[in-house]
DNA sequence: CACTTGACCTGTCCGC
DNA sequence: TGCGGACAGGTCAAGT
C-alpha cells in the first residue's frame, strides 16, 4: 500500500510523538513480521525517525535502527494513553487481529504495527547496516538533486520497458508506487504504455514534473487511503479525492470527460485517459 | 542482462 | 445466502 507520500506522512507524525521516548518492551505477536533480537531494543531511546523510498527508519540509542517496510497493508499507529483512553480512536480497538508487533514505551504509550497480509516487516539492525539495506534504491524524487537530467538518465536504463512500469522500479526512482505512477503519467499527458526509448526531451520534462507533482500532492493531502492506509495517528489520507485516474475506471476524465480506461501493465492495474494521454 | 511471471498472505467484492 | 474467482497500495526469486 503505502508509497512515498504515505510513509512520509507517517514519518512526520512519528517525529512529533516518539522522539526521546524510551522503549520498554517489544511484543512480537507474529514472528515473521519481526526480524532480529527484539530484546536488544529494550531501554533504548528513540533518537530520530526517517524515510528512504518506502522504508521507514527509527534510530535508537546503542547504534540500533528499527527498519520498517509496510508493503501492501502495513500500518504504524501510535497511541498515547491519557486518563485510560487513547487520545484518538480512528482505528478502533487496538491491538486488533492484524496487529503483528507492539512497541511499548516507558510512559505507557504504544506503537502498533498492523499488517493484514503479513508481507511487511520490521528489522532490528545495527545503524551501520542501514546503508547496505538501502543501497539498491534510486534517487529520492522530492529532494533537490532530482533534476530532469538525473531522471532521464535513470529511466534510460530500461529502454524497452513501458513508462509506467519503469516508474515503479525502485532502482530507478525511489518511492513511486502504483497510484502515483498512474497519476504522474496522467499529469504528464503521457500514455503509460509507451516505451522509454520512444520518449523525447520534452516528454522527460513533462514526466519529471508529473512525478514530482503527483508525489507532492500526495504528501499535501496526507496520502491515499483506498482501504488500509492510515497515518501515525490512525487517520486516513485524502489524496484519492484529488486523483485524476487511479481507481476511476469508467468514471469520466476530470479534464475531457472521456471514460477512464483500465489495463494491465507489468501485472498491475493501470488507469489512464486515452484522450489526454498520448 | 532485460524483462516477465508467480509467489508471498488475507480479505473483500462481484457474478452466478 | 453461499461459493468461486479476481483483485488489492510491494518486492523478490525464478523463468524466458
Amino acid at each position: 500500500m503505502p508509497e512515498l507520500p504515505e510513509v512520509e506522512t507517517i514519518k512526520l507524525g512519528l517525529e512529533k510523538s516518539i522522539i526521546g521516548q524510551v522503549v520498554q518492551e517489544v511484543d512480537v505477536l507474529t514472528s515473521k513480521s519481526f526480524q532480529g533480537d527484539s530484546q536488544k531494543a529494550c531501554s533504548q531511546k528513540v533518537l530520530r525517525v526517517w524515510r528512504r523510498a518506502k522504508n521507514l527508519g527509527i534510530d535508537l540509542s546503542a547504534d540500533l535502527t528499527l527498519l520498517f517496510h509496510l508493503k501492501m497493508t502495513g500500518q504504524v499507529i501510535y497511541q498515547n494513553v491519557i486518563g485510560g483512553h487513547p487520545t484518538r480512536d480512528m482505528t478502533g480497538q487496538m491491538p486488533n487481529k492484524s496487529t503483528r508487533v507492539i512497541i511499548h514505551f516507558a510512559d505507557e504509550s504504544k506503537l502498533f504495527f498492523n499488517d493484514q497480509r503479513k508481507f511487511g516487516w520490521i528489522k532490528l539492525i545495527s545503524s551501520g547496516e542501514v546503508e547496505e539495506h538501502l543501497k539498491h534504491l534510486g534517487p529520492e524524487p522530492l529532494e533537490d538533486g532530482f533534476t530532469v537530467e538525473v531522471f532521464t538518465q535513470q529511466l534510460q536504463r530500461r529502454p524497452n520497458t513501458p513508462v509506467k512500469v519503469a516508474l515503479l522500479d525502485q532502482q530507478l526512482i525511489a518511492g513511486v508506487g502504483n497510484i502515483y505512477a498512474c497519476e504522474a503519467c496522467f499529469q504528464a499527458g503521457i500514455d503509460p504504455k509507451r516505451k522509454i526509448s520512444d520518449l523525447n526531451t520534452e516528454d522527460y520534462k513533462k514526466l519529471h514534473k508529473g512525478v514530482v507533482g503527483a508525489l507532492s500532492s500526495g504528501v499535501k493531502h496526507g496520502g491515499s487511503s483506498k482501504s488500509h492506509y492510515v497515518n501515525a495517528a490512525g487517520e486516513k489520507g485524502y489524496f484519492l479525492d484529488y486523483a485524476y485516474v487511479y481507481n476511476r475506471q469508467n468514471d469520466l476524465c476530470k479534464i475531457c470527460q472521456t471514460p477512464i480506461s483500465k489495463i494491465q501493465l507489468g501485472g498491475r492495474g493501470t488507469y489512464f485517459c486515452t484522450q489526454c494521454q498520448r
Side-chain angles (χ1 to χ4, degrees):
Chain A
M1 127 223 174
E3 308 181 30
L4 184 156
E6 289 74 32
V7 181
E8 179 68 15
T9 304
I10 292 170
K11 185 208 87 172
L12 294 172
L14 288 182
E15 258 179 344
K16 285 190 287 188
S17 47
I18 68 166
I19 303 280
Q21 298 264 10
V22 174
V23 175
Q24 186 168 65
E25 190 189 340
V26 178
D27 218 349
V28 178
L29 309 180
T30 301
S31 59
K32 81 163 282 197
S33 301
F34 194 103
Q35 297 161 35
D37 179 4
S38 60
Q39 287 311 110
K40 282 193 192 164
C42 297
S43 304
Q44 303 308 329
K45 185 188 268 192
V46 175
L47 302 180
R48 196 167 80 92
V49 182
W50 51 268
R51 178 194 62 74
R52 171 82 170 100
K54 301 169 192 170
N55 296 270
L56 177 71
I58 298 178
D59 287 344
L60 303 176
S61 49
D63 207 37
L64 291 168
T65 295
L66 284 163
L67 189 62
F68 293 65
H69 200 300
L70 278 42
K71 296 289 177 84
M72 303 282 260
T73 55
Q75 303 176 322
V76 178
I77 299 170
Y78 177 73
Q79 282 191 350
N80 185 20
V81 176
I82 295 173
H85 298 285
T87 49
R88 312 214 189 170
D89 196 22
M90 302 292 291
T91 38
Q93 192 59 36
M94 210 64 74
N96 61 33
K97 66 176 170 184
S98 62
T99 299
R100 309 298 172 196
V101 179
I102 308 171
I103 297 174
H104 300 257
F105 294 112
D107 70 349
E108 299 192 17
S109 61
K110 300 177 183 75
L111 193 64
F112 295 90
F113 176 62
N114 299 339
D115 185 17
Q116 177 187 103
R117 292 172 74 175
K118 302 182 194 172
F119 291 172
W121 41 256
I122 304 175
K123 296 178 186 178
L124 180 60
I125 58 179
S126 80
S127 299
E129 294 172 317
V130 169
E131 196 187 336
E132 178 67 20
H133 281 267
L134 304 178
K135 68 173 184 187
H136 63 287
L137 295 167
E140 280 293 324
L142 294 186
E143 286 183 5
D144 287 344
F146 189 68
T147 59
V148 179
E149 291 72 27
V150 168
F151 178 63
T152 302
Q153 257 181 32
Q154 288 297 98
L155 288 184
Q156 285 178 342
R157 291 165 56 189
R158 301 282 184 276
N160 292 310
T161 300
V163 169
K164 188 245 177 176
V165 176
L167 292 179
L168 290 174
D169 189 331
Q170 302 299 295
Q171 296 185 45
L172 304 184
I173 297 120
V176 180
N178 205 33
I179 296 176
Y180 297 95
C182 292
E183 293 300 315
C185 287
F186 179 86
Q187 289 193 25
I190 304 263
D191 183 333
K193 300 189 293 301
R194 281 174 65 186
K195 299 274 171 89
I196 294 296
S197 58
D198 176 55
L199 301 180
N200 63 31
T201 308
E202 190 58 29
D203 294 329
Y204 283 117
K205 229 165 122 180
K206 290 190 292 184
L207 250 192
H208 176 267
K209 197 175 167 193
V211 168
V212 173
L215 293 172
S216 304
S217 178
V219 174
K220 179 177 156 193
H221 297 294
S224 305
S225 295
K226 185 182 176 189
S227 53
H228 293 86
Y229 171 73
V230 290
N231 67 18
E235 302 158 330
K236 293 182 176 198
Y238 294 95
F239 173 75
L240 287 183
D241 293 347
Y242 303 88
Y244 288 97
V245 289
Y246 184 78
N247 208 30
R248 298 193 68 239
Q249 184 181 19
N250 296 331
D251 288 354
L252 302 185
C253 173
K254 294 177 179 179
I255 304 299
C256 75
Q257 322 306 316
T258 301
I260 299 299
S261 302
K262 183 183 184 186
I263 58 170
Q264 290 289 120
L265 267 188
R268 323 287 310 275
T270 300
Y271 303 84
F272 69 109
C273 173
T274 54
Q275 184 67 29
C276 295
Q277 296 175 256
R278 303 289 186 158

